Amino acid sequence: MKTIYLSGKSCFLWLLLGLLTIIVSFASAAETHYHQFVVQTVPVKRLCRTQNILTVNGQFPGPTVEVRDGDSLVIKVVNAGPYNISIHWHGLRMLRNPWADGPSYVTQCPIQPGGSYTYRFTIQNQEGTLWWHAHTGFLRATVYGAFIIYPKMGSPYPFSMPKREFPILLGEWFDRDPMVLLRQTQFTGAPPNVSVAYTMNGQPGDLYRCSSQETVRVPVDAGETILLRIINSALNQELFFTIANHRMTVVATDAAYTKPFTTRVLMIGPGQTINVLVTADQTPGRYYMAARAYQTAMNAAFDNTTTTAILEYKSASCSNKKGQSSRPILPILPAFNDTATATAFTSGIRGLSKIKVFRNADVNLFFTVGLGLINCTNPNSPRCQGPNGTRFTASINNNSFVLPRTTSLMQAYYNGIPGVFTTDLPPVPPLQFNYTGNVPRGLWTPTRGTRLIKLRYGSNVQIVLQDTSIVTTEDHPMHVHGFHFFVVGAGFGNFNPATDPARFNLVDPPVRNTIGTPPGGWVAIRFKADNPGIWFLHCHIDSHLNWGLATALLVENGVGPSQSVIPPPPDLPQC
């Protein structure tokens, strides 16, 4: 055998190479993160009044989860609160693992008071801003937090690295227990009371009573660029957001990168996230970030207040010798019903990369989404406080969705329990009509049922979501669990299958997990059904979800274990 001798210099180079290989492997290695979420009631003071609210770990908003693409999580949720609850990890795909998705009675029974459940899942090819929230009743009014996925080590952002970043969670504040609100609306058949304030990171801001001391402040150095991760955690309201005298550059939506898009105002629906870059290029001072309602339902009550935080230049001088800061500059926000501004913003978003969206769909679904009314035999009943002695309802293709109560949809499917659901939701409206015109009163009352759509694994799916004028036209932010999708088209009026597809964007459409229907219009989405399991599809306005504006997609297993649902965990809650 021939022996090869290395020089001292060669030995050093090989040693250095080995060390670098070890360092790179450690840097790129995925981690497993362990968390414990204790759901508990704590007293919180807002608007001069202390009230008990449900939180995670006593924090409002709840703790921010920070991971990298490829990491795994083990999150034990302990229910020390008074209500059944579950946690949904909004926008996470949960490939083959619906057991970790979280919506009560869809993929699991809720965690009962005194119980616990451990969510175990892995991030797979996702990065950006998502969030988590309660998915039981109206509990997500206070039980929510940010979920941030950083790129893998060594993978850069597709834009210049910002010096700092800040999550901005927009929310609604109610003057009573959200579950009391839910029980009230379920009893009366009327909409729930509106919020009494909006919040940024749990604080209403300077324009509300007893709130100025806790107003959120975002410090910046003159000339620096920061990243804001904006999340609409509001229970029932789309919102406009702007920053006085500053432009924002949109770089991502719903954890998907976009072509840079500069704007002065955002419109963000419940469930959506938007990442923006902001450069501190104005005269050093204090500038309000502000959010207020974008309200599209006609003649409907809404919270018409404005929440603020402060973009604060560190170099800004004090306004007087006593050291009191000058009053921040307040931006001008769009009118609450400014659909033109909302549409211009939404239609300006494009996906970062050119992609080939499939041209031919295997499954074409046309869903009418909207409200309805149930006639009462006794219009004067206290249970019939909707318009003219009726009760509100909502539906997809004339079916008002009813959740099971003795098991979850996924448990029934996996265990072969009959009689819990059917897979006969009509793929098109059972009766065609002028969806955005003057709809005959006889079409305002849907049927009720637990009706799903079954999809073959791997099928190419197109869904057109058509708003209706029943009761009122409205922007319905529709969320699809378990998937992100391409938004290929949108428009006002009734969707025309003969002409509208010719205008679809199949080159660089935005990728979302939640998208609003233009009020009195339609939006078209496409995705591949490559995630087996049962996945909720619903309006993210929780009062509408409560009324039945939902269905679920049952994606069948494909071929082999890699295309099949994993077995349920042993601690999956029982009903």
Side-chain angles (χ1 to χ4, degrees):
M1 177 184 288
K2 185 176 180 181
T3 304
I4 300 176
Y5 295 94
L6 296 176
S7 67
K9 185 176 180 181
S10 297
C11 285
F12 174 76
L13 289 174
W14 278 104
L15 180 62
L16 182 61
L17 181 61
L19 286 172
L20 287 173
T21 302
I22 293 171
I23 291 170
V24 169
S25 66
F26 271 111
S28 60
E31 297 182 28
T32 299
H33 302 260
Y34 296 86
H35 297 276
Q36 180 163 283
F37 278 19
V38 179
V39 179
Q40 57 191 159
T41 300
V42 298
V44 170
K45 188 174 184 179
R46 295 291 186 276
L47 309 181
C48 315
R49 177 171 170 262
T50 299
Q51 63 190 78
N52 290 325
I53 68 167
L54 205 62
T55 66
V56 166
N57 297 349
Q59 301 176 43
F60 174 64
T64 296
V65 178
E66 295 178 281
V67 298
R68 292 191 180 276
D69 182 21
D71 287 355
S72 296
L73 293 103
V74 179
I75 304 178
K76 183 177 182 179
V77 177
V78 178
N79 188 1
Y83 304 117
N84 287 351
I85 197 168
S86 63
I87 303 293
H88 170 51
W89 315 94
H90 186 114
L92 288 162
R93 292 212 57 200
M94 302 298 181
L95 291 170
R96 302 173 44 240
N97 185 14
W99 313 112
D101 190 42
S104 288
Y105 300 109
V106 179
T107 58
Q108 67 169 92
C109 294
I111 308 165
Q112 298 177 22
S116 67
Y117 177 47
T118 300
Y119 294 90
R120 301 172 185 269
F121 54 93
T122 298
I123 312 298
Q124 299 183 57
N125 299 315
Q126 289 188 268
E127 56 187 70
T129 304
L130 296 171
W131 63 303
W132 58 265
H133 60 80
H135 212 302
T136 311
F138 286 176
L139 292 180
R140 77 171 180 86
T142 58
V143 180
Y144 60 85
F147 195 111
I148 298 172
I149 309 171
Y150 296 103
K152 293 180 179 180
M153 290 292 289
S155 297
Y157 290 125
F159 47 83
S160 297
M161 175 73 77
K163 183 177 178 182
R164 281 176 291 183
E165 61 178 56
F166 303 89
I168 302 291
L169 291 97
L170 307 173
E172 288 183 271
W173 182 258
F174 295 87
D175 61 0
R176 65 192 68 187
D177 185 328
M179 292 304 281
V180 172
L181 283 177
L182 176 61
R183 286 195 290 263
Q184 179 185 9
T185 190
Q186 288 174 334
F187 178 83
T188 65
N193 291 0
V194 300
S195 57
V196 295
Y198 298 114
T199 58
M200 290 197 200
N201 293 353
Q203 296 294 338
D206 288 354
L207 305 185
Y208 299 88
R209 65 188 186 277
C210 305
S211 300
S212 295
Q213 293 298 317
E214 305 298 331
T215 297
V216 171
R217 287 166 170 77
V218 175
V220 292
D221 291 317
E224 81 166 310
T225 297
I226 62 172
L227 176 68
L228 298 182
R229 299 177 179 271
I230 303 167
I231 301 167
N232 187 346
S233 318
L235 197 67
N236 294 315
Q237 191 65 60
E238 293 92 346
L239 295 164
F240 286 119
F241 176 91
T242 190
I243 306 173
N245 294 6
H246 289 73
R247 289 184 175 273
M248 298 171 284
T249 300
V250 176
V251 292
T253 58
D254 291 1
Y257 294 118
T258 65
K259 289 182 170 65
F261 170 49
T262 301
T263 181
R264 288 198 178 275
V265 64
L266 314 176
M267 193 287 287
I268 182 168
Q272 293 183 327
T273 73
I274 301 175
N275 284 7
V276 299
L277 296 174
V278 180
T279 299
D281 57 3
Q282 298 299 302
T283 303
R286 304 168 76 234
Y287 299 85
Y288 275 129
M289 304 176 178
R292 65 169 290 184
Y294 168 49
Q295 174 67 13
T296 59
M298 292 179 287
N299 302 316
F302 69 99
D303 179 352
N304 198 21
T305 61
T306 301
T307 181
T308 57
I310 300 172
L311 184 71
E312 193 166 51
Y313 285 63
K314 295 178 184 178
S315 58
S317 59
C318 295
S319 60
N320 58 38
K321 295 179 181 179
K322 293 182 180 180
Q324 294 178 347
S325 299
S326 60
R327 184 166 181 82
I329 298 171
L330 187 66
I332 298 174
L333 280 154
F336 72 87
N337 58 354
D338 190 346
T339 293
T341 293
T343 303
F345 171 73
T346 302
S347 61
I349 300 171
R350 292 286 185 269
L352 176 64
S353 306
K354 286 190 175 182
I355 39 181
K356 288 187 177 180
V357 182
F358 58 83
R359 293 190 170 275
N360 298 310
D362 305 314
V363 180
N364 279 284
L365 302 172
F366 183 77
F367 286 171
T368 52
V369 297
L371 306 184
L373 296 175
I374 300 171
N375 295 317
C376 295
T377 54
N378 178 12
N380 297 318
S381 167
R383 296 185 60 84
C384 299
Q385 297 184 36
N388 302 313
T390 59
R391 292 178 58 85
F392 272 99
T393 186
S395 67
I396 293 178
N397 279 0
N398 202 48
N399 182 78
S400 185
F401 196 76
V402 179
L403 285 168
R405 280 294 182 263
T406 58
T407 188
S408 72
L409 298 174
M410 190 61 215
Q411 286 163 288
Y413 171 55
Y414 192 86
N415 296 316
I417 303 172
V420 176
F421 64 86
T422 60
T423 56
D424 61 348
L425 181 74
V428 297
L431 182 66
Q432 293 187 358
F433 56 95
N434 181 4
Y435 309 114
T436 56
N438 187 12
V439 182
R441 188 65 176 79
L443 299 179
W444 285 31
T445 304
T447 58
R448 286 167 51 84
T450 311
R451 305 173 74 183
L452 281 58
I453 287 283
K454 183 185 288 188
L455 299 173
R456 179 177 51 81
Y457 181 91
S459 55
N460 293 329
V461 182
Q462 173 179 292
I463 305 179
V464 175
L465 299 158
Q466 172 73 61
D467 183 34
T468 78
S469 58
I470 296 174
V471 182
T472 177
T473 55
E474 189 166 359
D475 181 318
H476 295 283
M478 301 299 294
H479 174 45
V480 184
H481 290 227
F483 294 92
H484 44 234
F485 48 75
F486 300 112
V487 182
V488 296
F492 290 95
N494 298 335
F495 175 72
N496 186 329
T499 59
D500 285 328
R503 298 185 291 111
F504 281 0
N505 177 8
L506 303 180
V507 178
D508 61 351
V511 177
R512 306 297 299 247
N513 61 58
T514 305
I515 190 66
T517 59
W522 55 271
V523 63
I525 66 174
R526 290 186 178 182
F527 61 93
K528 182 176 287 289
D530 58 358
N531 194 6
I534 290 182
W535 306 102
F536 214 18
L537 185 159
H538 64 90
C539 181
H540 221 276
I541 295 175
D542 275 29
S543 59
H544 295 180
L545 172 57
N546 171 61
W547 289 333
L549 214 171
T551 184
L553 307 176
L554 191 165
V555 180
E556 297 177 299
N557 285 338
V559 178
S562 66
Q563 297 181 0
S564 301
V565 171
I566 64 172
D571 63 337
L572 188 69
Q574 300 300 309
C575 291

